[in-house]
Amino acid sequence: MQKRKASQIADVLIEALPYIQRFKGKTIVVKFGGNAMIDEDLKHSFARDIVLMKLVGLNPIVVHGGGPQIGQLLEKLGKTTGFVDGMRITDSETMDVVEMVLGGLVNKEIVNLINMHGGKAVGLTGKDGNLIRAKKLHLTPREVLPGELAQEMVDLGHVGEVSNIDSGVLDMLVESDFIPVIAPIGVGEDGRSYNINADLVAGKIAEQLKAEKLILLTNIPGIMDKQGTLLTGLSLKNTEDLIADGTISGGMIPKTRCGTDAIKGGVTSVHIIDGRVDHAVLLELFTNQGVGTLLLHGE
């Protein structure tokens, strides 16, 4: 029994070896969110995955969300906020809470977890080193009736989109053997802070760094077909076809488009994986089977 267990461990290490060799020195951008950010065991599992990636020669960069944590603090403060298309309407007071939660509580918790498990993590927001330049997000008027557009655009307040990534501070940290952990807060030309979707920030950073991989953690197994079967590998064309025919719908559309845009921008591959699985990142990187959907350029 003991020999069999030892043999199984050896098989796992041998299976991982070619992947470690292939990705050594490569940049891997990981968007950390969903259940993996809430469940205590999964948080520690994720931190250990990131530390191991760094120890075997990869260069992980973590971008995190924090929507539920923001909502919890706003509720405690008696502050109510609305949502439009899944985006929180963010006035100045709400933006103060967003910065406190994302740039403070959540960011430092992730940094601390990685450091507890033997890594050297440094927490950042987009304000540090002008990492993320942002501009106000303007929503395109949506159709109210067929052929009729809303007369007024919705003002989301301090909700932004990425206008530029200055990777200088990230390059410096990676070269010094640190693991950057980034909160998705950008700064505008006028100095105003903007809350930005973490998937989009991760995608833009991956594009700027020409990362080998962008990994997006979700609360589902990956991209599913209409029968509910996991699609383990898709090309850009396959992905667009699945969006067009309604197979990919709802909240998976922006996540999927984030992935396809990253590939078009020079990222080698994108992985949409199930963050509810223990050690999901390692399983996706270093095993033959993986735990999600792999997007490649393809035809």
Side-chain angles (χ1 to χ4, degrees):
M1 183 68 180
Q2 192 66 31
K3 286 184 179 180
R4 186 180 304 134
K5 184 177 180 182
S7 177
Q8 290 171 343
I9 292 171
D11 288 342
V12 169
L13 294 173
I14 293 300
E15 182 179 341
L17 179 59
Y19 295 104
I20 293 171
Q21 292 171 323
R22 186 188 310 169
F23 302 139
K24 185 175 182 180
K26 303 290 187 180
T27 297
I28 313 291
V29 178
V30 185
K31 188 269 178 160
F32 183 42
N35 278 25
M37 284 191 69
I38 300 170
D39 182 279
E40 286 298 321
D41 291 337
L42 290 175
K43 285 194 287 189
H44 285 273
S45 166
F46 175 81
R48 287 192 291 267
D49 287 1
I50 297 299
V51 172
L52 181 58
M53 288 168 63
K54 188 69 174 179
L55 286 175
V56 298
L58 284 64
N59 293 320
I61 294 175
V62 178
V63 179
H64 64 83
Q69 292 91 331
I70 293 168
Q72 289 169 9
L73 184 52
L74 286 170
E75 186 177 348
K76 287 181 181 178
L77 295 173
K79 176 80 175 175
T80 59
T81 56
F83 289 84
V84 177
D85 291 345
M87 291 176 285
R88 187 188 303 275
I89 297 174
T90 307
D91 61 16
S92 295
E93 288 182 351
T94 303
M95 190 64 220
D96 289 342
V97 173
V98 168
E99 289 204 72
M100 181 166 59
V101 173
L102 290 184
L105 297 173
V106 174
N107 187 270
K108 300 315 172 191
E109 180 187 21
I110 298 167
V111 167
N112 187 49
L113 282 168
I114 291 172
N115 291 344
M116 279 175 58
H117 291 286
K120 293 199 305 180
V122 174
L124 306 164
T125 74
K127 289 183 168 182
D128 294 305
N130 282 328
L131 172 59
I132 305 171
R133 281 288 183 180
K135 59 184 178 180
K136 186 179 177 68
L137 177 64
H138 295 283
L139 285 185
T140 303
R142 295 168 295 169
E143 287 195 3
V144 180
L145 295 172
E148 295 184 16
L149 294 178
Q151 294 301 307
E152 295 183 3
M153 296 184 70
V154 178
D155 187 354
L156 295 173
H158 291 254
V159 175
E161 57 185 327
V162 176
S163 59
N164 184 61
I165 299 289
D166 185 342
S167 62
V169 66
L170 298 182
D171 295 335
M172 179 186 69
L173 289 171
V174 170
E175 287 171 7
S176 300
D177 213 27
F178 287 100
I179 300 168
V181 178
I182 303 164
I185 298 167
V187 60
E189 294 296 330
D190 57 359
R192 296 180 72 189
S193 299
Y194 289 96
N195 184 16
I196 310 174
N197 178 278
D199 288 335
L200 298 180
V201 169
K204 291 299 183 184
I205 288 174
E207 287 181 41
Q208 178 67 27
L209 297 176
K210 295 295 184 285
E212 178 70 18
K213 294 180 180 293
L214 167 64
I215 300 176
L216 305 174
L217 273 68
T218 68
N219 285 337
I220 61 173
I223 296 175
M224 319 287 281
D225 67 16
K226 288 183 176 178
Q227 288 70 46
T229 303
L230 177 65
L231 300 170
T232 56
L234 294 171
S235 68
L236 290 184
K237 184 180 185 308
N238 294 150
T239 305
E240 293 298 337
D241 291 344
L242 291 173
I243 292 174
D245 71 13
T247 301
I248 299 174
S249 60
M252 281 303 292
I253 292 178
K255 193 174 291 288
T256 303
R257 287 208 183 280
C258 166
T260 57
D261 287 347
I263 291 172
K264 292 174 184 176
V267 178
T268 304
S269 63
V270 174
H271 305 249
I272 300 175
I273 69 172
D274 193 344
R276 301 169 300 177
V277 175
D278 200 27
H279 296 295
V281 175
L282 290 188
L283 291 170
E284 183 65 19
L285 280 174
F286 297 140
T287 67
N288 296 330
Q289 189 163 352
V291 289
T293 301
L294 171 64
L295 303 181
L296 293 167
H297 199 284
E299 294 296 331

